[in-house]
Each structure stands twice: as C-alpha cells, then as structure tokens.
C-alpha cells in the first residue's frame, strides 16, 4: 500500500467535506443531474477520444497509485554488481542460468550469455525502455484528458442550470436555489480534475520514471559486464542513478567498495541467482 497516495486523497476529501459541513448544510452539495452531466460526460468523451481497451487499462492502472512501489534502484545496482561478479568468476555463459522475476533482466542475461554485441544489447534494452514509456504515456494521457474534460462538462452543466433558471425568472423565489444547483456542476468538475484525475496522472508518471531508471541501470550494467569492466567500475557507472545521500557502499565476494564506510550486503545471491 502506498500510504502517501492514501493519505493524500483521504486528507484532501476530508478537508473539503469538513469545510462543506462547517459552512452549512451538506445536502445542498448533492445534485444527481449535475453528477450525471460531469461524470457521465467525462467518461463518454474519454471513450470517444481513445479506444475502449485503453480506457479499461487506464482504470486498472489507477490501482497502481495505491499499491506499494516495488522498484528499487539501489537493489537493482546491487543485482547488476552480483551479475558482474558471476561473469568474472564463471564467464558470460553462466548468466544464462540466472533466475529472476524481471523479464527484461532475464532477456539481458540471455543476450550476455549468447555473447551478443554491445549494439544489439543496447538497442534491445533501449527498445524496452521506449516501449514502456509509450505504454505508460498512453495511460497517463487518458487521465490528463479526463482532467480537462471534467471542468468543461462542469461548465456545460452550469450553462444548462442558468438557462433553466432564466426560464423561471417570473418566480423570484427559485432564483437562489437554481443558481446554487447551476454552480454545483462546476464544483464537481473542478473537484474531479484537481483531486482525482491530475494526481493519478502525476503519480503514474513518477512510477514510470522509477521503472525507466531501473531499466537504464540494467542496460548500462549489462554493457559494463559485456566489456568485462571490474565490478567497482560498474558500480561507479550505475551510482549516478542514485541521489548522493542514497548511495550505499556495497560488498561483492567479501570485498568492500571504494565508496568507503561499512559495506552493505549484495542484492543478489552468488549462486547464479539474481533477485
């Protein structure tokens, strides 16, 4: 569970609801026709803009916002260092036996075991990165579109309410309540855009950047392994993907890194397995 996302949406909605309750009756903020115009119109326009399959993918991806982030650049760097040690001890062919849950890392290890050229490995992994960015961009773009549609349909609902209000000007007592109802659709549209759709798009983009960084670590680490660099040279190349404060010393095969300080345990087992 991503507690930052949970805290953000719960606290945001709680503050808005509290302000509504403290300001008077909450019943006046409930308008079913207005919700139908904003929510229904936003979803309908989204289906009209992109394919049905992509919309379903976007809704499923919204779950990722509240799930824990499993990407860890430090662990991936440690894993690549362990693979470097394995290749130095047993040769590149041994990397073909590596067990890992990452399909991209497994493909990279197979390419190394097959003695693929540096250009082939670089192009293959870069294609993986580009493909991931494109897939994730499609999902993020859907939520950005919904964030644009929701306020627009809110304004449309306001115009409908104003037209209905003006048609009843001969009854002054209905002007106030009718105006309040007309403004509610704008409220719904702004709320959905700023509290739901834009934050989801932003969190998905942050997750994408983290995944891209992991794939780039795999790519550069594999190039270092292929060129038979010392594992400490591989570490120095990959450490740039981490902020200075998060760069931890590592230990491979009982040797301490040149980073200084107490060495941290390696991120992969020495028996030909990578996490």
């Amino acid at each position: 569970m991503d507690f930052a996302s949970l805290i953000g949406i719960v606290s945001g909605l709680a503050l808005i609801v509290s302000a509504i309750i403290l300001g008077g009756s909450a019943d006046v903020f409930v308008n079913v026709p207005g919700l139908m115009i904003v929510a229904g119109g936003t979803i309908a326009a989204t289906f009209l803009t992109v394919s049905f399959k992509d919309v379903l993918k976007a809704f499923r991806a919204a779950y990722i916002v509240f799930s824990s982030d499993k990407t860890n650049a430090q662990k991936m760097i440690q894993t690549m260092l362990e693979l470097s040690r394995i290749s130095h001890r047993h040769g590149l062919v041994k990397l073909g036996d590596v067990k890992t849950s990452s399909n991209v890392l497994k493909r990279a290890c197979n390419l190394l075991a097959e003695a693929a050229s540096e250009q082939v490995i670089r192009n293959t992994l870069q294609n993986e990165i580009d493909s991931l960015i494109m897939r994730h961009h499609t999902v993020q773009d859907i939520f950005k579109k919904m964030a644009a549609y929701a306020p627009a349909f809110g304004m449309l609902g306001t115009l409908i309410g104003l037209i209905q209000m003006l048609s009843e000007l001969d009854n002054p007592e209905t002007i106030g309540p009718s105006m309040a109802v007309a403004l509610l659709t704008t409220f719904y549209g702004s709320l959905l855009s700023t509290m739901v759709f834009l934050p989801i798009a932003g969190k998905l983009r942050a997750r994408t950047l983290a995944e891209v960084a992991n794939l780039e670590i795999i790519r550069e680490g594999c190039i270092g392994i292929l060129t038979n660099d010392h594992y400490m040279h591989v570490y120095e190349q990959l450490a740039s993907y981490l902020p200075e404060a998060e760069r931890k010393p590592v230990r491979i095969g009982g040797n301490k890194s040149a980073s200084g300080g107490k060495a941290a345990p390696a991120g992969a087992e020495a028996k030909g397995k990578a996490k």
Side-chain angles (χ1 to χ4, degrees), residues 85-102:
R85 188 193 68 82
I86 293 173
S87 69
H88 274 87
R89 283 192 175 185
H90 308 288
L92 291 175
V93 177
K94 187 66 175 178
L95 296 180
D97 299 329
V98 167
K99 307 297 182 182
T100 175
S101 59
S102 171

Side-chain angles (χ1 to χ4, degrees), residues 65-119:
V65 173
F66 299 98
S67 62
S68 58
D69 188 2
K70 297 180 181 180
T71 57
N72 189 311
Q74 178 67 39
K75 288 184 178 180
M76 183 56 69
I77 290 175
Q78 292 174 338
T79 297
M80 298 310 298
L81 294 180
E82 181 61 29
L83 294 179
S84 176
R85 188 193 68 82
I86 293 173
S87 69
H88 274 87
R89 283 192 175 185
H90 308 288
L92 291 175
V93 177
K94 187 66 175 178
L95 296 180
D97 299 329
V98 167
K99 307 297 182 182
T100 175
S101 59
S102 171
N103 293 329
V104 176
L105 181 57
K106 182 59 179 178
R107 287 187 63 191
C109 289
N110 289 338
L111 288 173
L112 289 172
E114 295 166 0
S117 66
E118 177 180 342
Q119 193 62 37

Side-chain angles (χ1 to χ4, degrees), residues 38-268:
V38 176
T42 300
I43 294 175
T46 304
F47 279 124
L48 184 61
T49 306
V50 297
S51 67
F52 183 80
K53 180 176 66 175
D54 288 338
V55 175
L56 292 182
K57 286 181 180 179
F59 288 156
R60 286 195 294 266
Y63 167 77
I64 298 176
V65 173
F66 299 98
S67 62
S68 58
D69 188 2
K70 297 180 181 180
T71 57
N72 189 311
Q74 178 67 39
K75 288 184 178 180
M76 183 56 69
I77 290 175
Q78 292 174 338
T79 297
M80 298 310 298
L81 294 180
E82 181 61 29
L83 294 179
S84 176
R85 188 193 68 82
I86 293 173
S87 69
H88 274 87
R89 283 192 175 185
H90 308 288
L92 291 175
V93 177
K94 187 66 175 178
L95 296 180
D97 299 329
V98 167
K99 307 297 182 182
T100 175
S101 59
S102 171
N103 293 329
V104 176
L105 181 57
K106 182 59 179 178
R107 287 187 63 191
C109 289
N110 289 338
L111 288 173
L112 289 172
E114 295 166 0
S117 66
E118 177 180 342
Q119 193 62 37
V120 169
I121 294 176
R122 187 178 296 277
N123 289 343
T124 300
L125 296 182
Q126 186 60 48
N127 289 339
E128 289 282 354
I129 294 173
D130 294 340
S131 177
L132 181 141
I133 292 175
M134 183 167 47
R135 292 194 308 269
H136 289 200
H137 174 75
T138 300
V139 173
Q140 297 163 25
D141 189 55
I142 289 175
F143 284 106
K144 290 179 181 178
K145 283 183 170 62
M146 295 177 73
Y149 292 148
F153 277 100
M155 183 58 65
L156 179 61
T158 297
L159 293 175
I160 293 174
L162 289 175
I163 293 171
Q164 293 174 340
M165 180 192 72
L166 293 174
S167 67
E168 298 291 336
L169 282 180
D170 56 340
N171 187 1
E173 295 180 355
T174 64
I175 294 179
S178 298
M179 187 64 181
V181 171
L183 293 175
L184 275 179
T185 54
T186 299
F187 169 74
Y188 293 149
S190 298
L191 180 64
L192 288 175
S193 177
T194 58
M195 197 64 221
V196 179
F197 299 139
L198 285 178
I200 289 177
K203 179 56 71 74
L204 291 177
R205 182 177 182 275
R207 293 291 178 86
T208 297
L209 293 176
E211 289 188 43
V212 168
N214 260 24
L215 294 183
E216 289 179 343
I217 288 172
I218 293 175
R219 182 191 63 198
E220 299 305 320
C222 287
I223 299 302
I225 292 173
L226 182 66
T227 54
N228 203 31
D229 289 344
H230 188 271
Y231 70 85
M232 278 314 306
H233 296 167
V234 175
Y235 173 79
E236 294 300 332
Q237 295 176 33
L238 301 183
S240 60
Y241 287 94
L242 296 174
E244 188 70 31
E246 296 181 13
R247 297 178 188 178
K248 300 178 181 179
V250 294
R251 182 181 62 206
I252 300 292
N255 297 322
K256 288 186 178 181
S257 72
S259 305
K262 186 178 179 181

